Amino acid sequence: MGEFVSVEVADQIATIRLDRPKMNALNAQVQRELAEAAALIDADPQVHAVILYGGARVFAAGADIKEMSDMSYVEMSAHSVTLQGALTAIARIGKPVIAAITGYALGGGCELALCADFRVAGESAKLGQPEVQLGLIPGAGGTQRLPRLIGPARAKDLIFSGRHVDAAEALAIGLVDRVVPDEQVYTAALEWAATFVGGPAVALRAAKQAIDQGLETDLETGLEIERLQFSGMFATEDAKAGMRAFTERSKPKFTGR
């Protein structure tokens, strides 16, 4: 759909593919195209799961430093809104999202991977937030999403040092969920995504929203978010079908309504 970001849908799984040679740097155009892809996929009822993929060689090496290096404070104040907004649009896709990580996922590339619900990495993948080595800090969600995922101490270690972690360490600290041979990354993500096809799409969206919104608030408010989402399920055809199938000891047929 875009010059550098495409969307391919097959078997109700959408693949958001980054293809900006050589390293999929996330310049302003890529950011806009990511936001457009997210909106398109989120609104498509035929899409049940999503894969983020940068190709067989690299996921995304980060933001476009050449584009940013001459920006003033005023210019970056405006640009950073677009940068964060693009990645937040990916994070808010109301369907399971899996990042298929090959090669480097650094800086903005790592922050993009953090927007997924799950991360599958190749054995030779490298992840990190190296912005401090440029005299900067992460600006696309790294200081917020990373500690929520792996804890503040581990996030500070990565952000303060700017070091890269390999796939084995990323798995050990919870930065990725699965590690597979490099050539199997996309296939593994596709197989995982397929487990959501034909599932209760409304319930999956509600569960994702309840978890993500609940993480941003206190327990009491989070429980209220859950209660409202849970109650709302009783207005759906899927819930009726699921409970009816349970009592009848049959397999439910969900329609996403």
Side-chain angles (χ1 to χ4, degrees):
M1 56 175 285
E3 182 180 359
F4 300 129
V5 178
S6 62
V7 175
E8 302 168 359
V9 179
D11 300 321
Q12 297 181 292
I13 298 169
T15 298
I16 299 176
R17 170 70 187 270
L18 280 70
D19 187 13
R20 184 181 180 232
K22 297 179 179 177
M23 302 297 287
N24 289 336
L26 307 179
N27 69 351
Q29 181 176 342
V30 171
Q31 294 163 30
R32 289 192 298 271
E33 291 180 6
L34 280 171
E36 291 167 0
L40 179 71
I41 289 169
D42 191 50
D44 188 347
Q46 298 304 313
V47 173
H48 287 198
V50 184
I51 298 172
L52 289 174
Y53 186 52
R57 194 171 67 89
V58 63
F59 183 72
D64 192 326
I65 303 303
K66 291 182 179 179
E67 180 182 68
M68 298 191 303
S69 60
D70 293 328
M71 287 187 181
S72 66
Y73 164 73
V74 172
E75 290 170 329
M76 181 50 71
S77 293
H79 177 73
S80 59
V81 173
T82 302
L83 174 60
Q84 284 197 358
L87 271 62
T88 296
I90 296 293
R92 289 181 178 170
I93 294 173
K95 302 164 188 191
V97 179
I98 302 167
I101 303 169
T102 56
Y104 290 110
L106 302 175
C110 186
E111 290 168 306
L112 177 60
L114 291 173
C115 293
D117 300 299
F118 311 106
R119 283 153 290 279
V120 177
E123 291 174 332
S124 64
K126 302 287 185 181
L127 298 90
Q129 299 289 166
E131 290 88 349
V132 71
Q133 297 174 356
L134 302 176
L136 300 170
I137 69 169
T143 65
Q144 302 304 306
R145 292 191 176 97
L146 187 60
R148 284 168 168 78
L149 181 65
I150 66 173
R154 285 171 171 164
K156 287 175 181 177
D157 170 37
L158 297 188
I159 293 171
F160 290 3
S161 69
R163 69 185 182 91
H164 303 174
V165 298
D166 60 22
E169 183 177 359
L171 180 64
I173 65 176
L175 181 51
V176 302
D177 303 289
R178 297 181 185 177
V179 175
V180 300
D182 293 338
E183 66 276 9
Q184 296 178 20
V185 169
Y186 183 75
T187 300
L190 194 63
E191 290 174 350
W192 196 347
T195 65
F196 301 108
V197 173
V202 180
L204 287 170
R205 180 183 290 270
K208 181 170 180 173
Q209 290 176 346
I211 293 168
D212 290 350
Q213 292 173 6
L215 285 171
E216 309 305 318
T217 188
D218 59 272
L219 178 59
E220 183 177 358
T221 304
L223 287 169
E224 180 64 6
I225 292 170
E226 179 186 88
R227 185 186 69 80
L228 292 172
Q229 292 281 14
F230 171 71
S231 301
M233 295 301 96
F234 284 78
T236 69
E237 294 178 13
D238 277 356
K240 292 180 176 61
M243 290 186 287
R244 182 171 58 251
F246 177 82
T247 59
E248 296 174 352
R249 298 183 180 181
S250 61
K251 186 177 180 179
K253 294 182 180 180
F254 298 117
T255 62
R257 295 192 293 271

